[in-house]
Amino acid sequence: SKYNKNELERPSIRSRISIAQRLQKPKLLSDMSSFRAANPGAIFEDFVRWYGNPENPLHEEVNGETMRHALERRARLPPAEAKVLALEEASEAIAILMSLRAFWEDTWEEAGPCPAHEQEPLFDPHSRVEMVLHTFETIHPALLMNQ
């Protein structure tokens, strides 16, 4: 959008949601599989009621800005431009919420019933230790000292 001065400085909200979904998917899939194992015949809406609705990714932000800043910025625009911008933001918000719902529904369809104790652990302590050691091996000493 031509109104977003931070567009070059931060990734778009869509790309941030995509990253968040990739990070969230293993845990969500595990939780859904466990739920299905414990509740045969359960439907997606049962899981959502039990787990809680997915957070609204736009709760605090629109295009990387807080809602207050977005409203202040729109207030400075001529009314016609402010209306167009508000419609663009609303359209993007609807698309993002639909994408989030689709992500949850797709993950639900992928999740087969599997009790938690039969699933692979989500946390791998060995790979985490390797990551820490790699960081220590490659970090510049000045960066380490500033920690």
Side-chain angles (χ1 to χ4, degrees), residues 104-139:
W104 273 55
E105 287 175 342
D106 292 346
T107 305
W108 176 257
E109 292 302 319
E110 186 180 331
C114 184
H117 70 275
E118 292 178 13
Q119 296 179 27
E120 290 290 320
L122 294 175
F123 180 77
D124 179 10
H126 300 290
S127 67
R128 292 297 172 158
V129 168
E130 286 294 325
M131 284 178 25
V132 169
L133 291 175
H134 174 73
T135 301
F136 284 144
E137 291 170 352
T138 59
I139 194 169

PDB file of all heavy atoms in Angstrom, residues 104-139:
ATOM      1  N   TRP A 104      -6.122 -23.630  10.159  1.00  0.00           N
ATOM      2  CA  TRP A 104      -6.585 -24.492  11.241  1.00  0.00           C
ATOM      3  C   TRP A 104      -7.394 -25.657  10.688  1.00  0.00           C
ATOM      4  O   TRP A 104      -7.225 -26.798  11.128  1.00  0.00           O
ATOM      5  CB  TRP A 104      -7.416 -23.686  12.241  1.00  0.00           C
ATOM      6  CG  TRP A 104      -6.584 -23.027  13.297  1.00  0.00           C
ATOM      7  CD1 TRP A 104      -5.533 -22.178  13.105  1.00  0.00           C
ATOM      8  CD2 TRP A 104      -6.724 -23.170  14.697  1.00  0.00           C
ATOM      9  NE1 TRP A 104      -5.025 -21.775  14.307  1.00  0.00           N
ATOM     10  CE2 TRP A 104      -5.743 -22.364  15.302  1.00  0.00           C
ATOM     11  CE3 TRP A 104      -7.606 -23.869  15.507  1.00  0.00           C
ATOM     12  CZ2 TRP A 104      -5.599 -22.268  16.677  1.00  0.00           C
ATOM     13  CZ3 TRP A 104      -7.473 -23.763  16.878  1.00  0.00           C
ATOM     14  CH2 TRP A 104      -6.477 -22.974  17.454  1.00  0.00           C
ATOM     15  N   GLU A 105      -8.283 -25.401   9.735  1.00  0.00           N
ATOM     16  CA  GLU A 105      -9.109 -26.479   9.171  1.00  0.00           C
ATOM     17  C   GLU A 105      -8.240 -27.488   8.418  1.00  0.00           C
ATOM     18  O   GLU A 105      -8.461 -28.702   8.535  1.00  0.00           O
ATOM     19  CB  GLU A 105     -10.178 -25.898   8.249  1.00  0.00           C
ATOM     20  CG  GLU A 105     -11.290 -25.195   9.007  1.00  0.00           C
ATOM     21  CD  GLU A 105     -12.289 -24.506   8.094  1.00  0.00           C
ATOM     22  OE1 GLU A 105     -11.979 -24.259   6.904  1.00  0.00           O
ATOM     23  OE2 GLU A 105     -13.395 -24.204   8.584  1.00  0.00           O
ATOM     24  N   ASP A 106      -7.267 -27.016   7.646  1.00  0.00           N
ATOM     25  CA  ASP A 106      -6.371 -27.924   6.924  1.00  0.00           C
ATOM     26  C   ASP A 106      -5.567 -28.782   7.894  1.00  0.00           C
ATOM     27  O   ASP A 106      -5.362 -29.980   7.667  1.00  0.00           O
ATOM     28  CB  ASP A 106      -5.431 -27.148   6.000  1.00  0.00           C
ATOM     29  CG  ASP A 106      -6.140 -26.488   4.835  1.00  0.00           C
ATOM     30  OD1 ASP A 106      -7.319 -26.839   4.566  1.00  0.00           O
ATOM     31  OD2 ASP A 106      -5.523 -25.610   4.189  1.00  0.00           O
ATOM     32  N   THR A 107      -5.108 -28.159   8.970  1.00  0.00           N
ATOM     33  CA  THR A 107      -4.342 -28.904   9.977  1.00  0.00           C
ATOM     34  C   THR A 107      -5.237 -29.942  10.640  1.00  0.00           C
ATOM     35  O   THR A 107      -4.802 -31.074  10.895  1.00  0.00           O
ATOM     36  CB  THR A 107      -3.730 -27.938  11.013  1.00  0.00           C
ATOM     37  OG1 THR A 107      -2.936 -26.949  10.328  1.00  0.00           O
ATOM     38  CG2 THR A 107      -2.846 -28.669  12.010  1.00  0.00           C
ATOM     39  N   TRP A 108      -6.492 -29.597  10.897  1.00  0.00           N
ATOM     40  CA  TRP A 108      -7.441 -30.542  11.481  1.00  0.00           C
ATOM     41  C   TRP A 108      -7.621 -31.752  10.564  1.00  0.00           C
ATOM     42  O   TRP A 108      -7.627 -32.891  11.025  1.00  0.00           O
ATOM     43  CB  TRP A 108      -8.784 -29.858  11.735  1.00  0.00           C
ATOM     44  CG  TRP A 108      -9.844 -30.784  12.235  1.00  0.00           C
ATOM     45  CD1 TRP A 108     -10.879 -31.310  11.514  1.00  0.00           C
ATOM     46  CD2 TRP A 108      -9.976 -31.312  13.557  1.00  0.00           C
ATOM     47  NE1 TRP A 108     -11.645 -32.131  12.303  1.00  0.00           N
ATOM     48  CE2 TRP A 108     -11.121 -32.144  13.569  1.00  0.00           C
ATOM     49  CE3 TRP A 108      -9.252 -31.163  14.726  1.00  0.00           C
ATOM     50  CZ2 TRP A 108     -11.542 -32.823  14.703  1.00  0.00           C
ATOM     51  CZ3 TRP A 108      -9.676 -31.832  15.855  1.00  0.00           C
ATOM     52  CH2 TRP A 108     -10.802 -32.655  15.847  1.00  0.00           C
ATOM     53  N   GLU A 109      -7.762 -31.491   9.264  1.00  0.00           N
ATOM     54  CA  GLU A 109      -7.945 -32.587   8.313  1.00  0.00           C
ATOM     55  C   GLU A 109      -6.706 -33.486   8.259  1.00  0.00           C
ATOM     56  O   GLU A 109      -6.809 -34.686   8.051  1.00  0.00           O
ATOM     57  CB  GLU A 109      -8.261 -32.046   6.915  1.00  0.00           C
ATOM     58  CG  GLU A 109      -9.611 -31.365   6.815  1.00  0.00           C
ATOM     59  CD  GLU A 109     -10.771 -32.267   7.212  1.00  0.00           C
ATOM     60  OE1 GLU A 109     -10.768 -33.459   6.841  1.00  0.00           O
ATOM     61  OE2 GLU A 109     -11.678 -31.773   7.916  1.00  0.00           O
ATOM     62  N   GLU A 110      -5.544 -32.893   8.455  1.00  0.00           N
ATOM     63  CA  GLU A 110      -4.281 -33.638   8.418  1.00  0.00           C
ATOM     64  C   GLU A 110      -4.063 -34.462   9.686  1.00  0.00           C
ATOM     65  O   GLU A 110      -3.376 -35.487   9.666  1.00  0.00           O
ATOM     66  CB  GLU A 110      -3.138 -32.628   8.240  1.00  0.00           C
ATOM     67  CG  GLU A 110      -1.790 -33.231   8.036  1.00  0.00           C
ATOM     68  CD  GLU A 110      -0.717 -32.161   7.864  1.00  0.00           C
ATOM     69  OE1 GLU A 110      -1.021 -31.054   7.366  1.00  0.00           O
ATOM     70  OE2 GLU A 110       0.427 -32.441   8.244  1.00  0.00           O
ATOM     71  N   ALA A 111      -4.642 -34.014  10.793  1.00  0.00           N
ATOM     72  CA  ALA A 111      -4.404 -34.652  12.094  1.00  0.00           C
ATOM     73  C   ALA A 111      -5.204 -35.940  12.219  1.00  0.00           C
ATOM     74  O   ALA A 111      -6.420 -35.928  12.187  1.00  0.00           O
ATOM     75  CB  ALA A 111      -4.786 -33.689  13.220  1.00  0.00           C
ATOM     76  N   GLY A 112      -4.482 -37.026  12.353  1.00  0.00           N
ATOM     77  CA  GLY A 112      -5.132 -38.298  12.642  1.00  0.00           C
ATOM     78  C   GLY A 112      -5.108 -38.523  14.140  1.00  0.00           C
ATOM     79  O   GLY A 112      -4.294 -37.932  14.851  1.00  0.00           O
ATOM     80  N   PRO A 113      -5.980 -39.380  14.647  1.00  0.00           N
ATOM     81  CA  PRO A 113      -5.973 -39.629  16.094  1.00  0.00           C
ATOM     82  C   PRO A 113      -4.675 -40.322  16.532  1.00  0.00           C
ATOM     83  O   PRO A 113      -4.304 -41.341  15.974  1.00  0.00           O
ATOM     84  CB  PRO A 113      -7.188 -40.527  16.315  1.00  0.00           C
ATOM     85  CG  PRO A 113      -7.552 -41.064  14.978  1.00  0.00           C
ATOM     86  CD  PRO A 113      -6.995 -40.143  13.952  1.00  0.00           C
ATOM     87  N   CYS A 114      -3.985 -39.725  17.473  1.00  0.00           N
ATOM     88  CA  CYS A 114      -2.749 -40.303  18.002  1.00  0.00           C
ATOM     89  C   CYS A 114      -2.538 -39.765  19.417  1.00  0.00           C
ATOM     90  O   CYS A 114      -2.350 -38.555  19.597  1.00  0.00           O
ATOM     91  CB  CYS A 114      -1.563 -39.945  17.112  1.00  0.00           C
ATOM     92  SG  CYS A 114      -0.014 -40.708  17.629  1.00  0.00           S
ATOM     93  N   PRO A 115      -2.577 -40.623  20.425  1.00  0.00           N
ATOM     94  CA  PRO A 115      -2.365 -40.151  21.804  1.00  0.00           C
ATOM     95  C   PRO A 115      -1.008 -39.469  21.950  1.00  0.00           C
ATOM     96  O   PRO A 115      -0.039 -39.821  21.264  1.00  0.00           O
ATOM     97  CB  PRO A 115      -2.407 -41.443  22.632  1.00  0.00           C
ATOM     98  CG  PRO A 115      -3.064 -42.458  21.771  1.00  0.00           C
ATOM     99  CD  PRO A 115      -2.777 -42.063  20.358  1.00  0.00           C
ATOM    100  N   ALA A 116      -0.954 -38.500  22.827  1.00  0.00           N
ATOM    101  CA  ALA A 116       0.269 -37.711  23.010  1.00  0.00           C
ATOM    102  C   ALA A 116       1.469 -38.586  23.352  1.00  0.00           C
ATOM    103  O   ALA A 116       2.577 -38.337  22.861  1.00  0.00           O
ATOM    104  CB  ALA A 116       0.049 -36.660  24.095  1.00  0.00           C
ATOM    105  N   HIS A 117       1.271 -39.615  24.164  1.00  0.00           N
ATOM    106  CA  HIS A 117       2.412 -40.445  24.574  1.00  0.00           C
ATOM    107  C   HIS A 117       2.986 -41.266  23.423  1.00  0.00           C
ATOM    108  O   HIS A 117       4.101 -41.786  23.530  1.00  0.00           O
ATOM    109  CB  HIS A 117       2.033 -41.342  25.761  1.00  0.00           C
ATOM    110  CG  HIS A 117       1.076 -42.440  25.421  1.00  0.00           C
ATOM    111  ND1 HIS A 117      -0.288 -42.235  25.395  1.00  0.00           N
ATOM    112  CD2 HIS A 117       1.289 -43.735  25.085  1.00  0.00           C
ATOM    113  CE1 HIS A 117      -0.874 -43.368  25.051  1.00  0.00           C
ATOM    114  NE2 HIS A 117       0.056 -44.302  24.862  1.00  0.00           N
ATOM    115  N   GLU A 118       2.258 -41.383  22.312  1.00  0.00           N
ATOM    116  CA  GLU A 118       2.755 -42.131  21.149  1.00  0.00           C
ATOM    117  C   GLU A 118       3.390 -41.209  20.098  1.00  0.00           C
ATOM    118  O   GLU A 118       3.948 -41.693  19.122  1.00  0.00           O
ATOM    119  CB  GLU A 118       1.615 -42.922  20.507  1.00  0.00           C
ATOM    120  CG  GLU A 118       1.101 -44.049  21.369  1.00  0.00           C
ATOM    121  CD  GLU A 118      -0.061 -44.798  20.724  1.00  0.00           C
ATOM    122  OE1 GLU A 118      -0.306 -44.599  19.515  1.00  0.00           O
ATOM    123  OE2 GLU A 118      -0.708 -45.580  21.433  1.00  0.00           O
ATOM    124  N   GLN A 119       3.309 -39.913  20.305  1.00  0.00           N
ATOM    125  CA  GLN A 119       3.842 -38.961  19.333  1.00  0.00           C
ATOM    126  C   GLN A 119       5.317 -38.675  19.589  1.00  0.00           C
ATOM    127  O   GLN A 119       5.808 -38.824  20.707  1.00  0.00           O
ATOM    128  CB  GLN A 119       3.062 -37.640  19.399  1.00  0.00           C
ATOM    129  CG  GLN A 119       1.616 -37.776  19.022  1.00  0.00           C
ATOM    130  CD  GLN A 119       0.893 -36.442  19.130  1.00  0.00           C
ATOM    131  OE1 GLN A 119       1.476 -35.387  19.007  1.00  0.00           O
ATOM    132  NE2 GLN A 119      -0.414 -36.519  19.357  1.00  0.00           N
ATOM    133  N   GLU A 120       5.993 -38.288  18.512  1.00  0.00           N
ATOM    134  CA  GLU A 120       7.382 -37.848  18.655  1.00  0.00           C
ATOM    135  C   GLU A 120       7.403 -36.559  19.478  1.00  0.00           C
ATOM    136  O   GLU A 120       6.534 -35.695  19.300  1.00  0.00           O
ATOM    137  CB  GLU A 120       7.993 -37.562  17.274  1.00  0.00           C
ATOM    138  CG  GLU A 120       8.235 -38.792  16.436  1.00  0.00           C
ATOM    139  CD  GLU A 120       9.354 -39.656  16.984  1.00  0.00           C
ATOM    140  OE1 GLU A 120      10.371 -39.106  17.448  1.00  0.00           O
ATOM    141  OE2 GLU A 120       9.178 -40.894  16.959  1.00  0.00           O
ATOM    142  N   PRO A 121       8.375 -36.395  20.360  1.00  0.00           N
ATOM    143  CA  PRO A 121       8.449 -35.142  21.126  1.00  0.00           C
ATOM    144  C   PRO A 121       8.640 -33.944  20.196  1.00  0.00           C
ATOM    145  O   PRO A 121       9.323 -34.043  19.176  1.00  0.00           O
ATOM    146  CB  PRO A 121       9.680 -35.330  22.019  1.00  0.00           C
ATOM    147  CG  PRO A 121      10.001 -36.780  21.974  1.00  0.00           C
ATOM    148  CD  PRO A 121       9.428 -37.328  20.707  1.00  0.00           C
ATOM    149  N   LEU A 122       8.027 -32.834  20.548  1.00  0.00           N
ATOM    150  CA  LEU A 122       8.159 -31.623  19.741  1.00  0.00           C
ATOM    151  C   LEU A 122       9.489 -30.916  20.010  1.00  0.00           C
ATOM    152  O   LEU A 122      10.026 -30.239  19.151  1.00  0.00           O
ATOM    153  CB  LEU A 122       7.009 -30.657  20.034  1.00  0.00           C
ATOM    154  CG  LEU A 122       5.627 -31.145  19.613  1.00  0.00           C
ATOM    155  CD1 LEU A 122       4.564 -30.156  20.081  1.00  0.00           C
ATOM    156  CD2 LEU A 122       5.558 -31.343  18.119  1.00  0.00           C
ATOM    157  N   PHE A 123      10.012 -31.099  21.218  1.00  0.00           N
ATOM    158  CA  PHE A 123      11.263 -30.444  21.592  1.00  0.00           C
ATOM    159  C   PHE A 123      12.397 -31.449  21.470  1.00  0.00           C
ATOM    160  O   PHE A 123      12.344 -32.538  22.042  1.00  0.00           O
ATOM    161  CB  PHE A 123      11.171 -29.924  23.032  1.00  0.00           C
ATOM    162  CG  PHE A 123      12.424 -29.241  23.496  1.00  0.00           C
ATOM    163  CD1 PHE A 123      12.718 -27.962  23.076  1.00  0.00           C
ATOM    164  CD2 PHE A 123      13.303 -29.882  24.348  1.00  0.00           C
ATOM    165  CE1 PHE A 123      13.871 -27.318  23.504  1.00  0.00           C
ATOM    166  CE2 PHE A 123      14.458 -29.253  24.781  1.00  0.00           C
ATOM    167  CZ  PHE A 123      14.736 -27.967  24.359  1.00  0.00           C
ATOM    168  N   ASP A 124      13.411 -31.080  20.723  1.00  0.00           N
ATOM    169  CA  ASP A 124      14.580 -31.945  20.556  1.00  0.00           C
ATOM    170  C   ASP A 124      15.765 -31.276  21.255  1.00  0.00           C
ATOM    171  O   ASP A 124      16.369 -30.346  20.712  1.00  0.00           O
ATOM    172  CB  ASP A 124      14.877 -32.153  19.069  1.00  0.00           C
ATOM    173  CG  ASP A 124      16.095 -33.020  18.839  1.00  0.00           C
ATOM    174  OD1 ASP A 124      16.617 -33.616  19.813  1.00  0.00           O
ATOM    175  OD2 ASP A 124      16.536 -33.100  17.682  1.00  0.00           O
ATOM    176  N   PRO A 125      16.096 -31.720  22.459  1.00  0.00           N
ATOM    177  CA  PRO A 125      17.168 -31.052  23.211  1.00  0.00           C
ATOM    178  C   PRO A 125      18.522 -31.126  22.513  1.00  0.00           C
ATOM    179  O   PRO A 125      19.322 -30.194  22.589  1.00  0.00           O
ATOM    180  CB  PRO A 125      17.192 -31.782  24.553  1.00  0.00           C
ATOM    181  CG  PRO A 125      16.466 -33.060  24.336  1.00  0.00           C
ATOM    182  CD  PRO A 125      15.532 -32.846  23.192  1.00  0.00           C
ATOM    183  N   HIS A 126      18.785 -32.205  21.779  1.00  0.00           N
ATOM    184  CA  HIS A 126      20.080 -32.343  21.113  1.00  0.00           C
ATOM    185  C   HIS A 126      20.255 -31.303  20.009  1.00  0.00           C
ATOM    186  O   HIS A 126      21.325 -30.685  19.883  1.00  0.00           O
ATOM    187  CB  HIS A 126      20.248 -33.761  20.552  1.00  0.00           C
ATOM    188  CG  HIS A 126      20.190 -34.811  21.604  1.00  0.00           C
ATOM    189  ND1 HIS A 126      21.181 -34.978  22.541  1.00  0.00           N
ATOM    190  CD2 HIS A 126      19.246 -35.731  21.907  1.00  0.00           C
ATOM    191  CE1 HIS A 126      20.868 -35.957  23.363  1.00  0.00           C
ATOM    192  NE2 HIS A 126      19.680 -36.444  22.993  1.00  0.00           N
ATOM    193  N   SER A 127      19.211 -31.073  19.212  1.00  0.00           N
ATOM    194  CA  SER A 127      19.342 -30.069  18.145  1.00  0.00           C
ATOM    195  C   SER A 127      19.443 -28.664  18.730  1.00  0.00           C
ATOM    196  O   SER A 127      20.140 -27.808  18.196  1.00  0.00           O
ATOM    197  CB  SER A 127      18.175 -30.162  17.156  1.00  0.00           C
ATOM    198  OG  SER A 127      16.965 -29.803  17.759  1.00  0.00           O
ATOM    199  N   ARG A 128      18.762 -28.425  19.855  1.00  0.00           N
ATOM    200  CA  ARG A 128      18.864 -27.109  20.497  1.00  0.00           C
ATOM    201  C   ARG A 128      20.280 -26.863  21.016  1.00  0.00           C
ATOM    202  O   ARG A 128      20.824 -25.778  20.862  1.00  0.00           O
ATOM    203  CB  ARG A 128      17.865 -26.983  21.649  1.00  0.00           C
ATOM    204  CG  ARG A 128      16.446 -26.955  21.215  1.00  0.00           C
ATOM    205  CD  ARG A 128      16.173 -25.736  20.361  1.00  0.00           C
ATOM    206  NE  ARG A 128      14.835 -25.839  19.814  1.00  0.00           N
ATOM    207  CZ  ARG A 128      14.129 -24.832  19.386  1.00  0.00           C
ATOM    208  NH1 ARG A 128      14.641 -23.619  19.425  1.00  0.00           N
ATOM    209  NH2 ARG A 128      12.944 -25.016  18.897  1.00  0.00           N
ATOM    210  N   VAL A 129      20.889 -27.879  21.609  1.00  0.00           N
ATOM    211  CA  VAL A 129      22.263 -27.743  22.093  1.00  0.00           C
ATOM    212  C   VAL A 129      23.200 -27.489  20.912  1.00  0.00           C
ATOM    213  O   VAL A 129      24.092 -26.634  20.986  1.00  0.00           O
ATOM    214  CB  VAL A 129      22.696 -28.993  22.898  1.00  0.00           C
ATOM    215  CG1 VAL A 129      24.191 -28.996  23.150  1.00  0.00           C
ATOM    216  CG2 VAL A 129      21.921 -29.059  24.204  1.00  0.00           C
ATOM    217  N   GLU A 130      22.979 -28.209  19.806  1.00  0.00           N
ATOM    218  CA  GLU A 130      23.795 -27.989  18.603  1.00  0.00           C
ATOM    219  C   GLU A 130      23.662 -26.558  18.103  1.00  0.00           C
ATOM    220  O   GLU A 130      24.648 -25.937  17.696  1.00  0.00           O
ATOM    221  CB  GLU A 130      23.399 -28.974  17.496  1.00  0.00           C
ATOM    222  CG  GLU A 130      23.882 -30.377  17.733  1.00  0.00           C
ATOM    223  CD  GLU A 130      25.400 -30.500  17.702  1.00  0.00           C
ATOM    224  OE1 GLU A 130      26.061 -29.792  16.906  1.00  0.00           O
ATOM    225  OE2 GLU A 130      25.936 -31.298  18.487  1.00  0.00           O
ATOM    226  N   MET A 131      22.432 -26.023  18.126  1.00  0.00           N
ATOM    227  CA  MET A 131      22.222 -24.638  17.677  1.00  0.00           C
ATOM    228  C   MET A 131      22.974 -23.658  18.575  1.00  0.00           C
ATOM    229  O   MET A 131      23.608 -22.712  18.089  1.00  0.00           O
ATOM    230  CB  MET A 131      20.733 -24.297  17.669  1.00  0.00           C
ATOM    231  CG  MET A 131      19.992 -24.898  16.506  1.00  0.00           C
ATOM    232  SD  MET A 131      18.210 -24.592  16.456  1.00  0.00           S
ATOM    233  CE  MET A 131      17.948 -23.104  17.358  1.00  0.00           C
ATOM    234  N   VAL A 132      22.919 -23.883  19.888  1.00  0.00           N
ATOM    235  CA  VAL A 132      23.610 -22.997  20.829  1.00  0.00           C
ATOM    236  C   VAL A 132      25.116 -23.073  20.608  1.00  0.00           C
ATOM    237  O   VAL A 132      25.802 -22.035  20.541  1.00  0.00           O
ATOM    238  CB  VAL A 132      23.244 -23.349  22.284  1.00  0.00           C
ATOM    239  CG1 VAL A 132      24.146 -22.625  23.274  1.00  0.00           C
ATOM    240  CG2 VAL A 132      21.781 -23.021  22.552  1.00  0.00           C
ATOM    241  N   LEU A 133      25.650 -24.278  20.467  1.00  0.00           N
ATOM    242  CA  LEU A 133      27.091 -24.432  20.247  1.00  0.00           C
ATOM    243  C   LEU A 133      27.509 -23.782  18.923  1.00  0.00           C
ATOM    244  O   LEU A 133      28.546 -23.112  18.854  1.00  0.00           O
ATOM    245  CB  LEU A 133      27.482 -25.903  20.272  1.00  0.00           C
ATOM    246  CG  LEU A 133      27.373 -26.580  21.638  1.00  0.00           C
ATOM    247  CD1 LEU A 133      27.669 -28.072  21.519  1.00  0.00           C
ATOM    248  CD2 LEU A 133      28.288 -25.919  22.651  1.00  0.00           C
ATOM    249  N   HIS A 134      26.699 -23.951  17.889  1.00  0.00           N
ATOM    250  CA  HIS A 134      27.001 -23.332  16.604  1.00  0.00           C
ATOM    251  C   HIS A 134      27.015 -21.809  16.745  1.00  0.00           C
ATOM    252  O   HIS A 134      27.902 -21.133  16.196  1.00  0.00           O
ATOM    253  CB  HIS A 134      25.979 -23.757  15.539  1.00  0.00           C
ATOM    254  CG  HIS A 134      26.162 -23.050  14.247  1.00  0.00           C
ATOM    255  ND1 HIS A 134      27.204 -23.334  13.387  1.00  0.00           N
ATOM    256  CD2 HIS A 134      25.452 -22.052  13.671  1.00  0.00           C
ATOM    257  CE1 HIS A 134      27.131 -22.541  12.340  1.00  0.00           C
ATOM    258  NE2 HIS A 134      26.077 -21.753  12.479  1.00  0.00           N
ATOM    259  N   THR A 135      26.046 -21.280  17.482  1.00  0.00           N
ATOM    260  CA  THR A 135      26.010 -19.825  17.695  1.00  0.00           C
ATOM    261  C   THR A 135      27.270 -19.362  18.404  1.00  0.00           C
ATOM    262  O   THR A 135      27.884 -18.362  18.010  1.00  0.00           O
ATOM    263  CB  THR A 135      24.760 -19.438  18.510  1.00  0.00           C
ATOM    264  OG1 THR A 135      23.595 -19.851  17.796  1.00  0.00           O
ATOM    265  CG2 THR A 135      24.708 -17.948  18.760  1.00  0.00           C
ATOM    266  N   PHE A 136      27.691 -20.064  19.448  1.00  0.00           N
ATOM    267  CA  PHE A 136      28.900 -19.688  20.168  1.00  0.00           C
ATOM    268  C   PHE A 136      30.141 -19.801  19.287  1.00  0.00           C
ATOM    269  O   PHE A 136      31.081 -19.023  19.427  1.00  0.00           O
ATOM    270  CB  PHE A 136      29.086 -20.531  21.432  1.00  0.00           C
ATOM    271  CG  PHE A 136      28.191 -20.127  22.566  1.00  0.00           C
ATOM    272  CD1 PHE A 136      27.667 -21.078  23.419  1.00  0.00           C
ATOM    273  CD2 PHE A 136      27.875 -18.796  22.795  1.00  0.00           C
ATOM    274  CE1 PHE A 136      26.849 -20.717  24.474  1.00  0.00           C
ATOM    275  CE2 PHE A 136      27.054 -18.419  23.844  1.00  0.00           C
ATOM    276  CZ  PHE A 136      26.536 -19.383  24.685  1.00  0.00           C
ATOM    277  N   GLU A 137      30.150 -20.773  18.389  1.00  0.00           N
ATOM    278  CA  GLU A 137      31.291 -20.947  17.498  1.00  0.00           C
ATOM    279  C   GLU A 137      31.378 -19.866  16.431  1.00  0.00           C
ATOM    280  O   GLU A 137      32.464 -19.539  15.962  1.00  0.00           O
ATOM    281  CB  GLU A 137      31.226 -22.315  16.813  1.00  0.00           C
ATOM    282  CG  GLU A 137      31.448 -23.474  17.754  1.00  0.00           C
ATOM    283  CD  GLU A 137      31.138 -24.819  17.108  1.00  0.00           C
ATOM    284  OE1 GLU A 137      30.606 -24.849  15.982  1.00  0.00           O
ATOM    285  OE2 GLU A 137      31.421 -25.849  17.748  1.00  0.00           O
ATOM    286  N   THR A 138      30.246 -19.307  16.044  1.00  0.00           N
ATOM    287  CA  THR A 138      30.236 -18.368  14.918  1.00  0.00           C
ATOM    288  C   THR A 138      29.975 -16.920  15.304  1.00  0.00           C
ATOM    289  O   THR A 138      30.115 -16.042  14.464  1.00  0.00           O
ATOM    290  CB  THR A 138      29.165 -18.792  13.883  1.00  0.00           C
ATOM    291  OG1 THR A 138      27.883 -18.823  14.522  1.00  0.00           O
ATOM    292  CG2 THR A 138      29.497 -20.161  13.301  1.00  0.00           C
ATOM    293  N   ILE A 139      29.610 -16.674  16.546  1.00  0.00           N
ATOM    294  CA  ILE A 139      29.289 -15.301  16.943  1.00  0.00           C
ATOM    295  C   ILE A 139      30.580 -14.459  17.027  1.00  0.00           C
ATOM    296  O   ILE A 139      31.622 -14.946  17.449  1.00  0.00           O
ATOM    297  CB  ILE A 139      28.514 -15.286  18.281  1.00  0.00           C
ATOM    298  CG1 ILE A 139      27.892 -13.916  18.522  1.00  0.00           C
ATOM    299  CG2 ILE A 139      29.409 -15.697  19.434  1.00  0.00           C
ATOM    300  CD1 ILE A 139      26.901 -13.888  19.673  1.00  0.00           C
TER     301      ILE A 139
END
